[in-house]
Amino acid sequence: MDILNENLRLFTMSDPFTVIAFYYDEVMEKVDYEEWARYIRSLFQMAPLKPIRKVLDLAMGTGTLSILMQKMGFDVCGLDFSTGMLKVAQSKFKKTGYVPSLVKADFRDIPFKNSSFEGVFSTFDSLNNILDPLELERVFREVRRILKKGGAFVFDLNTEWSLKEEWDNKTRVEETTNTISIWKSRYINGISYLYFTLLVRESANSDLYKKVFTVFRERGYDPPEVRKLLKRSGFTKVFCFDHFTLNPGKSKNSRVTYLAF
């Protein structure tokens, strides 16, 4: 069978994010979400509109950043298309006492009125999952529509160089208390395919594991293309930063963070 067709078949079998939702937080336990939250806050402060309080977490996942942003004083609404991720987020919110509002929706058709938010953020290369530049532009237009004038849009994207040079034909294995994850990447016709195998311990101290498998796809986007799409979508100012810094973002950075208003 043609490998690309097989990749597409595997991908459409189920929502890959819902497949791993219950295990996501443990797999990603090394991610410094607090640093990410501080970085987003610092970029929000650069926007003309002040203060920024009411914000949308676009592709919120399991809601860790939504909780941290709410602790910082933001009024957070979380949006995601994955039913599994939203269920995990809702459960987590109940345990923490922080309860941002949750919405299940497609990023290309955001169900809010014009000028509903002062800030929007999207993290961890979530928007790389949009494989068509015109579809990404549609998302940008929706974000521009729901932002108040002078409000900030902060998001990050993996570059094409990163997916092709740093990800392609790479395999890594990571282990946590209850999981072993195997990440294998292939770069085919401009799309990065991540074959993700997760072994989950069946019970504490058990040597038995159950296997979870899914496939993720990402398309890389570089600063010149992203700038063009943002400008066409109505944003007048666009800044590109090497991730977690204020240094200029370049096409050969692994991840570029954008600030647009």
Side-chain angles (χ1 to χ4, degrees):
M1 179 180 290
D2 176 80
I3 188 170
L4 183 57
N5 289 334
E6 173 65 2
N7 291 337
L8 294 174
R9 186 190 70 81
L10 287 167
F11 182 77
T12 56
M13 286 171 59
S14 57
D15 167 17
F17 293 97
T18 290
V19 168
I20 68 164
F22 185 74
Y23 317 107
Y24 184 85
D25 285 340
E26 182 166 354
V27 172
M28 299 297 177
E29 65 181 11
K30 295 180 182 179
V31 176
D32 191 342
Y33 287 104
E34 292 188 355
E35 181 180 13
W36 223 314
R38 290 192 297 269
Y39 186 52
I40 294 168
R41 180 178 60 184
S42 69
L43 296 182
F44 276 166
Q45 292 169 347
M46 297 170 62
L49 181 63
K50 292 179 175 55
I52 289 179
R53 284 290 177 262
K54 187 176 182 181
V55 299
L56 177 66
D57 185 349
L58 187 66
M60 68 174 298
T62 61
T64 301
L65 265 176
S66 289
I67 292 171
L68 291 172
M69 294 295 284
Q70 193 163 45
K71 286 181 178 179
M72 288 180 172
F74 293 95
D75 178 7
V76 183
C77 176
L79 183 151
D80 206 288
F81 190 69
S82 168
T83 301
M85 289 290 191
L86 288 170
K87 285 182 178 179
V88 173
Q90 188 173 40
S91 175
K92 186 189 300 185
F93 294 164
K94 290 179 180 178
K95 293 177 182 178
T96 63
Y98 288 88
V99 189
S101 56
L102 303 178
V103 176
K104 176 178 168 61
D106 190 318
F107 310 156
R108 297 164 299 181
D109 189 19
I110 301 175
F112 295 104
K113 295 179 180 179
N114 295 353
S115 305
S116 293
F117 295 93
E118 295 149 5
V120 175
F121 62 97
S122 185
T123 58
F124 224 144
D125 50 272
S126 294
L127 296 182
N128 284 104
N129 290 279
I130 300 172
L131 307 182
D132 183 342
L134 293 179
E135 293 292 284
L136 184 60
E137 182 180 347
R138 182 175 169 183
V139 175
F140 289 167
R141 289 184 183 278
E142 280 290 273
V143 173
R144 176 62 271 173
R145 179 184 63 78
I146 65 170
L147 270 177
K148 293 181 179 180
K149 184 177 181 180
F153 180 27
V154 175
F155 63 98
D156 62 76
L157 288 166
N158 288 326
T159 62
E160 182 180 7
W161 175 83
S162 177
L163 297 185
K164 188 176 181 179
E165 300 299 329
E166 296 184 320
W167 288 35
D168 187 32
N169 286 322
K170 300 295 194 304
T171 299
R172 78 175 193 268
V173 178
E174 297 184 355
E175 186 171 356
T176 68
T177 301
N178 298 302
T179 70
I180 300 171
S181 54
I182 304 167
W183 313 60
K184 294 183 178 182
S185 299
R186 291 287 306 277
Y187 188 80
I188 305 169
N189 296 335
I191 304 297
S192 178
Y193 293 80
L194 173 60
Y195 301 89
F196 183 77
T197 302
L198 184 64
L199 303 177
V200 183
R201 195 186 301 274
E202 291 193 347
S203 61
N205 302 317
S206 172
D207 291 328
L208 298 176
Y209 289 77
K210 67 177 180 179
K211 180 179 178 182
V212 178
F213 175 77
T214 192
V215 181
F216 297 91
R217 297 183 297 170
E218 289 197 6
R219 182 190 187 277
Y221 291 94
D222 293 338
E225 181 179 22
V226 177
R227 281 180 179 274
K228 180 175 69 174
L229 295 177
L230 286 166
K231 291 293 183 70
R232 289 202 319 222
S233 302
F235 291 92
T236 57
K237 294 288 186 181
V238 179
F239 300 89
C240 311
F241 303 111
D242 186 12
H243 190 52
F244 282 156
T245 77
L246 295 181
N247 299 326
K250 300 177 181 179
S251 296
K252 286 193 176 181
N253 291 140
S254 297
R255 187 192 304 268
V256 175
T257 293
Y258 298 85
L259 166 63
F261 45 80

